[in-house]
Amino acid sequence: MSDHPSHRTHLRRYLAGGYALFIVYASLAPFTGWQEQGVSLLEVMTAPLAQTFTWFDFVINLLAYLPFGFLLQMLLRPHLPPRSGLVLALLLGCGMSLLMEYAQLYLPSRVSSNSDLLSNSMGVLLGALLALRVEAQAWFARLRRWYDGRFRRGGSSDFGAALLAMWVFVQLNPSLPMLGSVFISQMAPTPFEAAQAQPFNWLEALAVALNLLMPGVLLLILLRQPRHALNLLVLALALVTLAKFVIAAVLLKSWALLLWVNSESMLGVLAGLILLAVARYLRPGWLLGMAMLAVLAYIALAHWVMDSNMPAGTLRLFHWHYGHMLHYNGLSQLLALLFPLLLLGYLVWVMRQKRR
């Protein structure tokens, strides 16, 4: 297989571009109330650092930009020597941060500061250095060979892989039900007080099954040998479950730790895996048709049949800073809404390619 840079950067480009959009959302949401506040960027950048510095924000901003630096370095590595790529990644990351700080000058609900620029830049630098370290490891080369051997290559296939990464990110939100696209509406009214028993919701179980079937069918399309799809989906589901539990333990209050687990989600997972096992034996044309039908059914069920709460409805589950959790919840909900729409567009793209 060719190892030319143009054959290796599609997925990295999609991931880096997607993460840049994530930064824009996290920095500028809710995108309302734009107005001149009479403060220049120069005044903000030359203000005393201690004026806006807090260790909490410093760590959060550093961690937020670390993956961006990692992805930028990975994107530039096939085209530039390590040091040149590191410098360019740092410049691009710092430029993105500076642009966000400038835009925040026109949002009364946001605070522009030089300490944020510093922490963001340090995050980019650490992420880029980590990428250099990772790429030099033998296990990373084996992982890349494994990916090349399992997944189809090309712009459309790499975009599908980026969609899988997007789906995984949505599932990590601990305030979402397991594989759910709607926010939890029935919660314990006070800590340690049991919520009233609710009747089993078959529609919610169906939504979970369809939500699992969508990435499963996407795997069937992306893999060179579809028989591996079920195993990979089960592995991804296990990793998501573990990560979701850990994130819930860190972010949620103790009484809400397992609120995302319910009988509807468990039955839905089982039904989704059974449907995927059957889908493995479909011809490509029938598989695409089934995938489109599953996406359309999920969109109709999640948005026109079942009720959906606003992201702010679950903020009381968290014990961390309100503003950060609001943006995190809002982004998760936005991506949950976009994923089936982007997947539907992707399926149309693949269908047109097969007809050529």
Side-chain angles (χ1 to χ4, degrees), residues 275-338:
L275 289 173
L276 181 62
V278 174
R280 289 186 301 172
Y281 300 100
L282 295 177
R283 295 179 179 178
W286 285 94
L287 180 63
L288 285 172
M290 176 187 178
M292 297 181 73
L293 182 62
V295 173
L296 291 173
Y298 178 81
I299 292 174
L301 185 62
H303 305 297
W304 286 298
V305 177
M306 301 173 65
D307 292 330
S308 179
N309 291 334
M310 296 300 292
T314 57
L315 285 176
R316 73 185 186 93
L317 297 175
F318 294 89
H319 61 70
W320 277 29
H321 192 270
Y322 175 88
H324 293 90
M325 293 303 101
L326 178 62
H327 302 144
Y328 175 51
N329 270 355
L331 180 63
S332 298
Q333 181 72 343
L334 176 62
L335 294 182
L337 295 173
L338 288 179

Short mmCIF file of all heavy atoms in Angstrom, two decimals, residues 275-338:
data_model
loop_
_atom_site.label_atom_id
_atom_site.label_comp_id
_atom_site.label_asym_id
_atom_site.label_seq_id
_atom_site.Cartn_x
_atom_site.Cartn_y
_atom_site.Cartn_z
N LEU A 275 -29.28 -6.81 15.34
CA LEU A 275 -29.55 -6.24 14.02
C LEU A 275 -28.26 -6.11 13.21
O LEU A 275 -28.25 -6.36 11.99
CB LEU A 275 -30.22 -4.87 14.17
CG LEU A 275 -31.66 -4.86 14.66
CD1 LEU A 275 -32.13 -3.44 14.92
CD2 LEU A 275 -32.58 -5.55 13.64
N LEU A 276 -27.17 -5.73 13.87
CA LEU A 276 -25.90 -5.60 13.16
C LEU A 276 -25.40 -6.97 12.70
O LEU A 276 -24.85 -7.10 11.60
CB LEU A 276 -24.87 -4.94 14.06
CG LEU A 276 -23.49 -4.72 13.43
CD1 LEU A 276 -23.60 -3.79 12.23
CD2 LEU A 276 -22.51 -4.15 14.45
N ALA A 277 -25.59 -8.00 13.53
CA ALA A 277 -25.18 -9.35 13.14
C ALA A 277 -25.92 -9.81 11.89
O ALA A 277 -25.35 -10.48 11.02
CB ALA A 277 -25.42 -10.32 14.29
N VAL A 278 -27.18 -9.43 11.77
CA VAL A 278 -27.96 -9.77 10.58
C VAL A 278 -27.50 -8.94 9.38
O VAL A 278 -27.40 -9.45 8.25
CB VAL A 278 -29.46 -9.54 10.84
CG1 VAL A 278 -30.27 -9.75 9.56
CG2 VAL A 278 -29.96 -10.48 11.94
N ALA A 279 -27.19 -7.66 9.62
CA ALA A 279 -26.81 -6.76 8.53
C ALA A 279 -25.52 -7.17 7.85
O ALA A 279 -25.26 -6.81 6.69
CB ALA A 279 -26.68 -5.34 9.06
N ARG A 280 -24.67 -7.94 8.54
CA ARG A 280 -23.40 -8.37 7.95
C ARG A 280 -23.59 -9.19 6.68
O ARG A 280 -22.70 -9.25 5.84
CB ARG A 280 -22.59 -9.19 8.95
CG ARG A 280 -22.01 -8.40 10.11
CD ARG A 280 -21.13 -9.29 10.96
NE ARG A 280 -21.86 -10.43 11.50
CZ ARG A 280 -21.28 -11.44 12.14
NH1 ARG A 280 -19.96 -11.45 12.30
NH2 ARG A 280 -21.99 -12.44 12.62
N TYR A 281 -24.73 -9.82 6.54
CA TYR A 281 -24.96 -10.73 5.41
C TYR A 281 -25.69 -10.04 4.25
O TYR A 281 -26.02 -10.70 3.26
CB TYR A 281 -25.75 -11.94 5.89
CG TYR A 281 -25.04 -12.72 6.97
CD1 TYR A 281 -25.38 -12.56 8.31
CD2 TYR A 281 -24.00 -13.60 6.66
CE1 TYR A 281 -24.72 -13.26 9.31
CE2 TYR A 281 -23.33 -14.30 7.65
CZ TYR A 281 -23.70 -14.12 8.97
OH TYR A 281 -23.03 -14.81 9.96
N LEU A 282 -25.94 -8.75 4.36
CA LEU A 282 -26.62 -8.03 3.29
C LEU A 282 -25.65 -7.64 2.19
O LEU A 282 -24.47 -7.39 2.44
CB LEU A 282 -27.30 -6.77 3.85
CG LEU A 282 -28.44 -6.97 4.85
CD1 LEU A 282 -28.93 -5.61 5.34
CD2 LEU A 282 -29.58 -7.76 4.23
N ARG A 283 -26.14 -7.58 0.97
CA ARG A 283 -25.34 -7.09 -0.14
C ARG A 283 -25.11 -5.60 0.04
O ARG A 283 -25.88 -4.92 0.73
CB ARG A 283 -26.04 -7.37 -1.46
CG ARG A 283 -26.20 -8.86 -1.78
CD ARG A 283 -26.92 -9.05 -3.08
NE ARG A 283 -27.04 -10.47 -3.41
CZ ARG A 283 -27.67 -10.94 -4.50
NH1 ARG A 283 -28.23 -10.07 -5.36
NH2 ARG A 283 -27.73 -12.24 -4.72
N PRO A 284 -24.05 -5.05 -0.59
CA PRO A 284 -23.73 -3.62 -0.40
C PRO A 284 -24.90 -2.68 -0.65
O PRO A 284 -25.12 -1.74 0.12
CB PRO A 284 -22.59 -3.39 -1.39
CG PRO A 284 -21.93 -4.72 -1.52
CD PRO A 284 -23.03 -5.73 -1.42
N GLY A 285 -25.64 -2.91 -1.73
CA GLY A 285 -26.78 -2.04 -2.02
C GLY A 285 -27.85 -2.10 -0.95
O GLY A 285 -28.38 -1.07 -0.52
N TRP A 286 -28.17 -3.31 -0.51
CA TRP A 286 -29.16 -3.48 0.55
C TRP A 286 -28.65 -2.91 1.88
O TRP A 286 -29.43 -2.37 2.67
CB TRP A 286 -29.50 -4.96 0.71
CG TRP A 286 -30.38 -5.49 -0.37
CD1 TRP A 286 -29.99 -6.13 -1.51
CD2 TRP A 286 -31.80 -5.43 -0.42
NE1 TRP A 286 -31.08 -6.46 -2.28
CE2 TRP A 286 -32.22 -6.05 -1.63
CE3 TRP A 286 -32.78 -4.92 0.44
CZ2 TRP A 286 -33.55 -6.16 -1.99
CZ3 TRP A 286 -34.12 -5.04 0.07
CH2 TRP A 286 -34.49 -5.64 -1.13
N LEU A 287 -27.35 -3.05 2.10
CA LEU A 287 -26.77 -2.51 3.33
C LEU A 287 -26.91 -0.99 3.39
O LEU A 287 -27.28 -0.43 4.43
CB LEU A 287 -25.30 -2.91 3.43
CG LEU A 287 -24.54 -2.41 4.67
CD1 LEU A 287 -25.14 -3.00 5.94
CD2 LEU A 287 -23.06 -2.76 4.57
N LEU A 288 -26.61 -0.32 2.29
CA LEU A 288 -26.77 1.13 2.24
C LEU A 288 -28.22 1.53 2.46
O LEU A 288 -28.52 2.50 3.15
CB LEU A 288 -26.25 1.67 0.92
CG LEU A 288 -24.72 1.72 0.75
CD1 LEU A 288 -24.37 2.09 -0.68
CD2 LEU A 288 -24.11 2.70 1.73
N GLY A 289 -29.13 0.78 1.84
CA GLY A 289 -30.56 1.07 2.02
C GLY A 289 -30.98 0.90 3.47
O GLY A 289 -31.74 1.73 4.01
N MET A 290 -30.50 -0.16 4.11
CA MET A 290 -30.83 -0.39 5.52
C MET A 290 -30.25 0.72 6.40
O MET A 290 -30.90 1.18 7.34
CB MET A 290 -30.28 -1.74 5.96
CG MET A 290 -30.48 -2.03 7.44
SD MET A 290 -29.65 -3.53 7.98
CE MET A 290 -30.04 -3.53 9.74
N ALA A 291 -29.03 1.12 6.08
CA ALA A 291 -28.40 2.18 6.87
C ALA A 291 -29.18 3.48 6.77
O ALA A 291 -29.42 4.16 7.78
CB ALA A 291 -26.96 2.39 6.39
N MET A 292 -29.60 3.85 5.57
CA MET A 292 -30.37 5.08 5.39
C MET A 292 -31.71 4.99 6.10
O MET A 292 -32.17 5.96 6.71
CB MET A 292 -30.56 5.37 3.90
CG MET A 292 -29.25 5.62 3.15
SD MET A 292 -29.46 6.00 1.40
CE MET A 292 -30.14 7.67 1.52
N LEU A 293 -32.34 3.82 6.04
CA LEU A 293 -33.62 3.64 6.74
C LEU A 293 -33.44 3.77 8.24
O LEU A 293 -34.26 4.39 8.93
CB LEU A 293 -34.19 2.26 6.39
CG LEU A 293 -35.56 1.93 7.00
CD1 LEU A 293 -36.61 2.93 6.50
CD2 LEU A 293 -35.97 0.50 6.64
N ALA A 294 -32.34 3.20 8.79
CA ALA A 294 -32.08 3.29 10.22
C ALA A 294 -31.85 4.73 10.65
O ALA A 294 -32.35 5.17 11.69
CB ALA A 294 -30.87 2.43 10.59
N VAL A 295 -31.11 5.49 9.84
CA VAL A 295 -30.84 6.90 10.16
C VAL A 295 -32.13 7.71 10.14
O VAL A 295 -32.41 8.50 11.05
CB VAL A 295 -29.81 7.49 9.19
CG1 VAL A 295 -29.67 8.99 9.43
CG2 VAL A 295 -28.47 6.81 9.35
N LEU A 296 -32.95 7.52 9.11
CA LEU A 296 -34.21 8.28 9.00
C LEU A 296 -35.15 7.92 10.15
O LEU A 296 -35.81 8.80 10.72
CB LEU A 296 -34.87 7.99 7.66
CG LEU A 296 -34.15 8.56 6.43
CD1 LEU A 296 -34.81 8.06 5.14
CD2 LEU A 296 -34.15 10.09 6.46
N ALA A 297 -35.20 6.63 10.50
CA ALA A 297 -36.06 6.21 11.62
C ALA A 297 -35.57 6.82 12.92
O ALA A 297 -36.38 7.26 13.76
CB ALA A 297 -36.07 4.68 11.70
N TYR A 298 -34.26 6.87 13.10
CA TYR A 298 -33.71 7.44 14.33
C TYR A 298 -34.01 8.93 14.43
O TYR A 298 -34.40 9.43 15.49
CB TYR A 298 -32.20 7.21 14.38
CG TYR A 298 -31.55 7.81 15.60
CD1 TYR A 298 -31.59 7.15 16.83
CD2 TYR A 298 -30.92 9.05 15.54
CE1 TYR A 298 -31.02 7.70 17.95
CE2 TYR A 298 -30.33 9.59 16.67
CZ TYR A 298 -30.38 8.92 17.86
OH TYR A 298 -29.82 9.48 18.98
N ILE A 299 -33.84 9.64 13.32
CA ILE A 299 -34.12 11.08 13.31
C ILE A 299 -35.59 11.34 13.65
O ILE A 299 -35.92 12.19 14.48
CB ILE A 299 -33.76 11.69 11.94
CG1 ILE A 299 -32.25 11.66 11.73
CG2 ILE A 299 -34.27 13.13 11.85
CD1 ILE A 299 -31.82 12.10 10.34
N ALA A 300 -36.49 10.58 13.02
CA ALA A 300 -37.92 10.76 13.28
C ALA A 300 -38.27 10.42 14.72
O ALA A 300 -39.03 11.14 15.39
CB ALA A 300 -38.72 9.88 12.32
N LEU A 301 -37.68 9.34 15.25
CA LEU A 301 -38.00 8.91 16.60
C LEU A 301 -37.45 9.87 17.64
O LEU A 301 -38.14 10.24 18.60
CB LEU A 301 -37.42 7.51 16.83
CG LEU A 301 -37.73 6.82 18.15
CD1 LEU A 301 -39.23 6.61 18.30
CD2 LEU A 301 -37.00 5.48 18.23
N ALA A 302 -36.21 10.32 17.46
CA ALA A 302 -35.56 11.15 18.47
C ALA A 302 -36.08 12.57 18.49
O ALA A 302 -36.07 13.22 19.55
CB ALA A 302 -34.05 11.15 18.25
N HIS A 303 -36.55 13.08 17.36
CA HIS A 303 -36.88 14.50 17.28
C HIS A 303 -38.36 14.80 17.08
O HIS A 303 -38.79 15.93 17.28
CB HIS A 303 -36.08 15.14 16.15
CG HIS A 303 -34.60 14.93 16.27
ND1 HIS A 303 -33.88 15.42 17.33
CD2 HIS A 303 -33.71 14.25 15.51
CE1 HIS A 303 -32.61 15.08 17.20
NE2 HIS A 303 -32.49 14.36 16.11
N TRP A 304 -39.15 13.81 16.68
CA TRP A 304 -40.57 14.08 16.48
C TRP A 304 -41.49 13.21 17.32
O TRP A 304 -42.67 13.47 17.43
CB TRP A 304 -40.93 13.91 15.00
CG TRP A 304 -40.42 15.04 14.17
CD1 TRP A 304 -40.77 16.37 14.27
CD2 TRP A 304 -39.46 14.96 13.12
NE1 TRP A 304 -40.07 17.11 13.34
CE2 TRP A 304 -39.27 16.28 12.62
CE3 TRP A 304 -38.73 13.93 12.54
CZ2 TRP A 304 -38.39 16.57 11.58
CZ3 TRP A 304 -37.87 14.22 11.52
CH2 TRP A 304 -37.70 15.51 11.04
N VAL A 305 -40.95 12.15 17.91
CA VAL A 305 -41.78 11.26 18.73
C VAL A 305 -41.44 11.41 20.20
O VAL A 305 -42.32 11.59 21.05
CB VAL A 305 -41.61 9.79 18.29
CG1 VAL A 305 -42.42 8.87 19.19
CG2 VAL A 305 -42.04 9.62 16.83
N MET A 306 -40.13 11.36 20.52
CA MET A 306 -39.70 11.46 21.91
C MET A 306 -39.40 12.90 22.27
O MET A 306 -38.98 13.69 21.42
CB MET A 306 -38.44 10.60 22.13
CG MET A 306 -38.66 9.13 21.81
SD MET A 306 -37.12 8.18 21.89
CE MET A 306 -36.73 8.32 23.63
N ASP A 307 -39.60 13.23 23.54
CA ASP A 307 -39.29 14.58 24.02
C ASP A 307 -37.80 14.71 24.24
O ASP A 307 -37.12 13.75 24.60
CB ASP A 307 -40.03 14.88 25.32
CG ASP A 307 -41.54 14.98 25.09
OD1 ASP A 307 -41.92 15.36 23.99
OD2 ASP A 307 -42.29 14.65 26.03
N SER A 308 -37.28 15.93 24.06
CA SER A 308 -35.86 16.17 24.28
C SER A 308 -35.71 17.41 25.15
O SER A 308 -36.32 18.44 24.89
CB SER A 308 -35.13 16.38 22.95
OG SER A 308 -33.78 16.65 23.14
N ASN A 309 -34.90 17.31 26.19
CA ASN A 309 -34.67 18.43 27.09
C ASN A 309 -33.48 19.25 26.63
O ASN A 309 -32.63 18.78 25.90
CB ASN A 309 -34.43 17.93 28.51
CG ASN A 309 -35.69 17.33 29.11
OD1 ASN A 309 -36.78 17.69 28.73
ND2 ASN A 309 -35.50 16.40 30.03
N MET A 310 -33.40 20.48 27.08
CA MET A 310 -32.26 21.34 26.78
C MET A 310 -31.06 20.90 27.60
O MET A 310 -31.21 20.32 28.67
CB MET A 310 -32.60 22.80 27.07
CG MET A 310 -33.71 23.35 26.19
SD MET A 310 -33.27 23.27 24.45
CE MET A 310 -31.95 24.48 24.40
N PRO A 311 -29.84 21.15 27.11
CA PRO A 311 -28.65 20.74 27.85
C PRO A 311 -28.60 21.26 29.28
O PRO A 311 -28.09 20.59 30.17
CB PRO A 311 -27.51 21.33 27.02
CG PRO A 311 -28.07 21.44 25.64
CD PRO A 311 -29.52 21.75 25.82
N ALA A 312 -29.16 22.46 29.51
CA ALA A 312 -29.12 23.03 30.86
C ALA A 312 -29.91 22.19 31.85
O ALA A 312 -29.75 22.32 33.06
CB ALA A 312 -29.66 24.46 30.83
N GLY A 313 -30.79 21.30 31.35
CA GLY A 313 -31.63 20.51 32.23
C GLY A 313 -30.86 19.54 33.11
O GLY A 313 -31.38 19.09 34.13
N THR A 314 -29.63 19.20 32.74
CA THR A 314 -28.86 18.24 33.53
C THR A 314 -27.67 18.87 34.23
O THR A 314 -26.84 18.16 34.77
CB THR A 314 -28.36 17.10 32.62
OG1 THR A 314 -27.58 17.66 31.57
CG2 THR A 314 -29.49 16.31 32.04
N LEU A 315 -27.60 20.18 34.24
CA LEU A 315 -26.44 20.83 34.87
C LEU A 315 -26.36 20.54 36.36
O LEU A 315 -25.27 20.52 36.93
CB LEU A 315 -26.49 22.34 34.62
CG LEU A 315 -26.11 22.79 33.22
CD1 LEU A 315 -26.29 24.29 33.07
CD2 LEU A 315 -24.66 22.42 32.91
N ARG A 316 -27.49 20.32 37.02
CA ARG A 316 -27.44 20.06 38.45
C ARG A 316 -26.86 18.68 38.78
O ARG A 316 -26.59 18.38 39.94
CB ARG A 316 -28.83 20.22 39.08
CG ARG A 316 -29.82 19.13 38.78
CD ARG A 316 -31.17 19.51 39.38
NE ARG A 316 -32.17 18.46 39.25
CZ ARG A 316 -32.39 17.54 40.17
NH1 ARG A 316 -31.67 17.53 41.27
NH2 ARG A 316 -33.33 16.63 40.00
N LEU A 317 -26.66 17.84 37.74
CA LEU A 317 -25.99 16.57 37.97
C LEU A 317 -24.50 16.75 38.22
O LEU A 317 -23.86 15.91 38.84
CB LEU A 317 -26.17 15.65 36.75
CG LEU A 317 -27.59 15.20 36.39
CD1 LEU A 317 -27.54 14.41 35.11
CD2 LEU A 317 -28.19 14.38 37.51
N PHE A 318 -23.95 17.85 37.71
CA PHE A 318 -22.50 18.07 37.77
C PHE A 318 -22.12 18.81 39.05
O PHE A 318 -22.89 19.58 39.60
CB PHE A 318 -22.03 18.89 36.56
CG PHE A 318 -22.18 18.17 35.25
CD1 PHE A 318 -23.34 18.27 34.51
CD2 PHE A 318 -21.14 17.41 34.74
CE1 PHE A 318 -23.48 17.61 33.29
CE2 PHE A 318 -21.26 16.75 33.53
CZ PHE A 318 -22.43 16.85 32.81
N HIS A 319 -20.86 18.61 39.48
CA HIS A 319 -20.35 19.37 40.61
C HIS A 319 -19.20 20.27 40.20
O HIS A 319 -18.50 20.81 41.05
CB HIS A 319 -19.92 18.43 41.75
CG HIS A 319 -18.82 17.47 41.39
ND1 HIS A 319 -17.52 17.86 41.16
CD2 HIS A 319 -18.85 16.12 41.21
CE1 HIS A 319 -16.79 16.81 40.87
NE2 HIS A 319 -17.56 15.74 40.88
N TRP A 320 -18.99 20.44 38.87
CA TRP A 320 -17.93 21.32 38.39
C TRP A 320 -18.52 22.64 37.91
O TRP A 320 -19.72 22.85 37.94
CB TRP A 320 -17.15 20.63 37.27
CG TRP A 320 -16.08 19.72 37.80
CD1 TRP A 320 -16.11 19.04 38.99
CD2 TRP A 320 -14.85 19.39 37.18
NE1 TRP A 320 -14.98 18.30 39.14
CE2 TRP A 320 -14.18 18.48 38.06
CE3 TRP A 320 -14.24 19.73 35.99
CZ2 TRP A 320 -12.94 17.95 37.76
CZ3 TRP A 320 -13.00 19.19 35.69
CH2 TRP A 320 -12.36 18.32 36.57
N HIS A 321 -17.66 23.53 37.43
CA HIS A 321 -18.02 24.89 37.09
C HIS A 321 -19.18 24.94 36.09
O HIS A 321 -19.16 24.25 35.08
CB HIS A 321 -16.79 25.61 36.50
CG HIS A 321 -16.96 27.08 36.36
ND1 HIS A 321 -17.46 27.66 35.23
CD2 HIS A 321 -16.70 28.09 37.23
CE1 HIS A 321 -17.49 28.97 35.38
NE2 HIS A 321 -17.02 29.25 36.59
N TYR A 322 -20.16 25.79 36.36
CA TYR A 322 -21.38 25.86 35.56
C TYR A 322 -21.10 26.18 34.09
O TYR A 322 -21.60 25.51 33.19
CB TYR A 322 -22.30 26.94 36.15
CG TYR A 322 -23.54 27.20 35.34
CD1 TYR A 322 -24.70 26.47 35.56
CD2 TYR A 322 -23.56 28.18 34.35
CE1 TYR A 322 -25.85 26.70 34.82
CE2 TYR A 322 -24.70 28.43 33.61
CZ TYR A 322 -25.84 27.69 33.85
OH TYR A 322 -26.97 27.92 33.12
N GLY A 323 -20.29 27.19 33.84
CA GLY A 323 -20.06 27.62 32.46
C GLY A 323 -19.43 26.54 31.61
O GLY A 323 -19.85 26.29 30.49
N HIS A 324 -18.40 25.85 32.15
CA HIS A 324 -17.75 24.79 31.39
C HIS A 324 -18.71 23.64 31.10
O HIS A 324 -18.73 23.11 30.00
CB HIS A 324 -16.54 24.25 32.17
CG HIS A 324 -15.43 25.25 32.30
ND1 HIS A 324 -15.36 26.12 33.37
CD2 HIS A 324 -14.36 25.52 31.51
CE1 HIS A 324 -14.28 26.87 33.24
NE2 HIS A 324 -13.66 26.54 32.12
N MET A 325 -19.53 23.27 32.08
CA MET A 325 -20.46 22.17 31.88
C MET A 325 -21.56 22.54 30.90
O MET A 325 -22.04 21.71 30.14
CB MET A 325 -21.08 21.74 33.22
CG MET A 325 -20.08 21.12 34.17
SD MET A 325 -19.21 19.68 33.49
CE MET A 325 -17.63 20.41 33.01
N LEU A 326 -21.98 23.80 30.90
CA LEU A 326 -22.99 24.24 29.95
C LEU A 326 -22.48 24.11 28.52
O LEU A 326 -23.18 23.63 27.63
CB LEU A 326 -23.38 25.69 30.25
CG LEU A 326 -24.41 26.32 29.29
CD1 LEU A 326 -25.72 25.55 29.36
CD2 LEU A 326 -24.64 27.78 29.62
N HIS A 327 -21.23 24.51 28.29
CA HIS A 327 -20.66 24.42 26.95
C HIS A 327 -20.44 22.96 26.56
O HIS A 327 -20.66 22.58 25.41
CB HIS A 327 -19.34 25.19 26.90
CG HIS A 327 -19.50 26.63 27.25
ND1 HIS A 327 -18.53 27.34 27.95
CD2 HIS A 327 -20.51 27.50 27.04
CE1 HIS A 327 -18.95 28.58 28.14
NE2 HIS A 327 -20.14 28.70 27.59
N TYR A 328 -20.00 22.14 27.53
CA TYR A 328 -19.79 20.72 27.27
C TYR A 328 -21.10 20.04 26.90
O TYR A 328 -21.19 19.28 25.93
CB TYR A 328 -19.15 20.09 28.51
CG TYR A 328 -18.97 18.59 28.44
CD1 TYR A 328 -18.34 17.99 27.36
CD2 TYR A 328 -19.41 17.78 29.48
CE1 TYR A 328 -18.16 16.62 27.31
CE2 TYR A 328 -19.22 16.41 29.45
CZ TYR A 328 -18.60 15.83 28.36
OH TYR A 328 -18.41 14.47 28.31
N ASN A 329 -22.15 20.30 27.69
CA ASN A 329 -23.45 19.71 27.40
C ASN A 329 -24.00 20.21 26.08
O ASN A 329 -24.57 19.45 25.29
CB ASN A 329 -24.44 20.05 28.53
CG ASN A 329 -24.42 19.01 29.63
OD1 ASN A 329 -23.74 17.99 29.52
ND2 ASN A 329 -25.16 19.26 30.69
N GLY A 330 -23.86 21.51 25.84
CA GLY A 330 -24.38 22.08 24.60
C GLY A 330 -23.69 21.49 23.37
O GLY A 330 -24.34 21.19 22.37
N LEU A 331 -22.37 21.32 23.46
CA LEU A 331 -21.65 20.73 22.33
C LEU A 331 -22.06 19.28 22.12
O LEU A 331 -22.24 18.84 20.98
CB LEU A 331 -20.14 20.82 22.59
CG LEU A 331 -19.25 20.24 21.49
CD1 LEU A 331 -19.44 21.01 20.19
CD2 LEU A 331 -17.79 20.28 21.91
N SER A 332 -22.21 18.52 23.20
CA SER A 332 -22.63 17.13 23.07
C SER A 332 -24.00 17.03 22.40
O SER A 332 -24.22 16.19 21.53
CB SER A 332 -22.68 16.45 24.45
OG SER A 332 -21.40 16.42 25.04
N GLN A 333 -24.91 17.89 22.81
CA GLN A 333 -26.25 17.87 22.22
C GLN A 333 -26.20 18.28 20.76
O GLN A 333 -26.88 17.68 19.91
CB GLN A 333 -27.17 18.81 23.01
CG GLN A 333 -28.60 18.86 22.49
CD GLN A 333 -29.40 17.60 22.80
OE1 GLN A 333 -28.82 16.56 23.11
NE2 GLN A 333 -30.69 17.68 22.70
N LEU A 334 -25.39 19.27 20.42
CA LEU A 334 -25.27 19.71 19.04
C LEU A 334 -24.72 18.59 18.15
O LEU A 334 -25.25 18.33 17.06
CB LEU A 334 -24.36 20.94 18.95
CG LEU A 334 -24.07 21.47 17.53
CD1 LEU A 334 -25.35 21.92 16.85
CD2 LEU A 334 -23.05 22.60 17.59
N LEU A 335 -23.67 17.91 18.62
CA LEU A 335 -23.08 16.83 17.83
C LEU A 335 -24.04 15.64 17.74
O LEU A 335 -24.06 14.95 16.72
CB LEU A 335 -21.76 16.40 18.45
CG LEU A 335 -20.64 17.44 18.41
CD1 LEU A 335 -19.36 16.87 19.02
CD2 LEU A 335 -20.38 17.91 16.99
N ALA A 336 -24.82 15.40 18.80
CA ALA A 336 -25.81 14.33 18.75
C ALA A 336 -26.86 14.62 17.69
O ALA A 336 -27.37 13.71 17.03
CB ALA A 336 -26.47 14.16 20.12
N LEU A 337 -27.19 15.89 17.51
CA LEU A 337 -28.14 16.27 16.47
C LEU A 337 -27.52 16.18 15.08
O LEU A 337 -28.20 15.79 14.12
CB LEU A 337 -28.63 17.70 16.72
CG LEU A 337 -29.45 17.95 17.98
CD1 LEU A 337 -29.71 19.44 18.17
CD2 LEU A 337 -30.77 17.20 17.92
N LEU A 338 -26.23 16.52 14.97
CA LEU A 338 -25.58 16.56 13.67
C LEU A 338 -25.17 15.18 13.17
O LEU A 338 -25.15 14.96 11.95
CB LEU A 338 -24.33 17.46 13.75
CG LEU A 338 -24.56 18.96 13.85
CD1 LEU A 338 -23.23 19.69 13.95
CD2 LEU A 338 -25.35 19.47 12.64
#
